[in-house]
């Protein structure tokens, strides 16, 4: 495959997942390449679309108090238009930081981070009042984050035919 990644490319991706702010010099040392070869590979990986963006993960508890909720949403109707309308509404709410269309007992799972319960209730009301098509919203308040996202397990996800 023309765009396939080799083991060094995967190692670069793993290192960048852990620390995207690492210097090219440090990255090159970690993967065992010269800085110029490493930079060429990183640019090629970016150009081929294997990296969507670089993102800083903010330590929110240090910055402010927040409330994190996981909400499951079930729609009454299941037409493509109904799903599109709901997805469009969710895109306009900055506190909804993740949204997944899922199979099973609900249609969507939302991760919501807001200032407090008062704001969450406002968001909930916005969702319900703005869409007569919502049948049910179940909310789970996150008590603690036991395993935060720290990158994908690339070695176990990417099959190698070496």
């Amino acid at each position: 495959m023309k765009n396939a990644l080799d083991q060094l490319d995967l190692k670069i991706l793993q290192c960048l997942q852990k620390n995207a702010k690492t210097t090219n010099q440090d990255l090159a040392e970690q993967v065992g390449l010269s800085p110029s070869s490493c930079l060429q590979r990183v640019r090629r990986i970016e150009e081929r679309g294997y990296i969507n963006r670089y993102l800083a993960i903010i330590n929110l508890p240090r910055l402010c108090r927040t409330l994190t909720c996981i909400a499951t949403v079930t729609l009454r109707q299941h037409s493509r238009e109904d799903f599109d309308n709901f997805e469009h509404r969710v895109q306009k709410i900055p506190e909804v930081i993740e949204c997944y269309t899922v199979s099973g007992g609900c249609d969507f799972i939302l991760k919501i981070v807001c200032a407090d319960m008062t704001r969450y209730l406002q968001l909930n009301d916005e969702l319900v009042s703005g869409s007569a098509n919502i049948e049910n919203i179940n909310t789970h308040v996150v008590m603690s984050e036991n395993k935060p996202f720290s990158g994908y397990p690339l070695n176990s996800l990417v099959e190698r035919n070496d």
Side-chain angles (χ1 to χ4, degrees), residues 4 17 22 39 42 45 54 70 99 106 110 114:
Q17 275 193 132
T22 189
L39 185 57
V42 170
I45 290 167
Y54 294 94
I70 305 296
C99 176
C106 64
L110 310 178
C114 50

Side-chain angles (χ1 to χ4, degrees), residues 5-65:
L5 299 178
D6 63 19
Q7 289 296 332
L8 278 172
D9 293 332
L10 287 174
K11 197 169 182 181
I12 288 169
L13 285 173
Q14 288 171 327
C15 291
L16 289 174
Q17 275 193 132
K18 289 179 183 157
N19 181 7
K21 197 175 174 183
T22 189
T23 66
N24 184 59
Q25 179 70 39
D26 289 342
L27 181 60
E29 288 175 18
Q30 290 174 52
V31 300
L33 288 172
S34 70
S36 62
S37 294
C38 185
L39 185 57
Q40 281 180 326
R41 282 179 177 263
V42 170
R43 286 184 178 152
R44 188 183 77 236
I45 290 167
E46 290 171 343
E47 287 167 3
R48 290 182 178 174
Y50 289 104
I51 297 173
N52 287 334
R53 66 183 190 260
Y54 294 94
L55 180 70
I57 301 187
I58 296 168
N59 184 349
L60 267 182
R62 185 173 172 99
L63 183 65
C64 58
R65 292 181 63 162

Side-chain angles (χ1 to χ4, degrees), residues 99-151:
C99 176
Y100 300 94
T101 304
V102 297
S103 63
C106 64
D107 299 312
F108 295 93
I109 296 177
L110 310 178
K111 183 174 183 182
I112 303 163
V113 178
C114 50
D116 52 31
M117 185 55 78
T118 300
R119 178 61 181 144
Y120 175 76
L121 293 172
Q122 290 171 344
L123 294 171
N124 193 63
D125 288 345
E126 286 176 33
L127 282 173
V128 173
S129 67
S131 173
N133 191 36
I134 292 179
E135 181 177 306
N136 188 28
I137 298 178
N138 283 317
T139 303
H140 308 273
V141 175
V142 174
M143 304 302 284
S144 65
E145 185 178 45
N146 306 104
K147 184 178 180 182
F149 180 73
S150 61

Side-chain angles (χ1 to χ4, degrees), residues 146-160:
N146 306 104
K147 184 178 180 182
F149 180 73
S150 61
Y152 296 105
L154 296 179
N155 284 336
S156 64
L157 293 174
V158 180
E159 290 185 357
R160 303 307 310 165

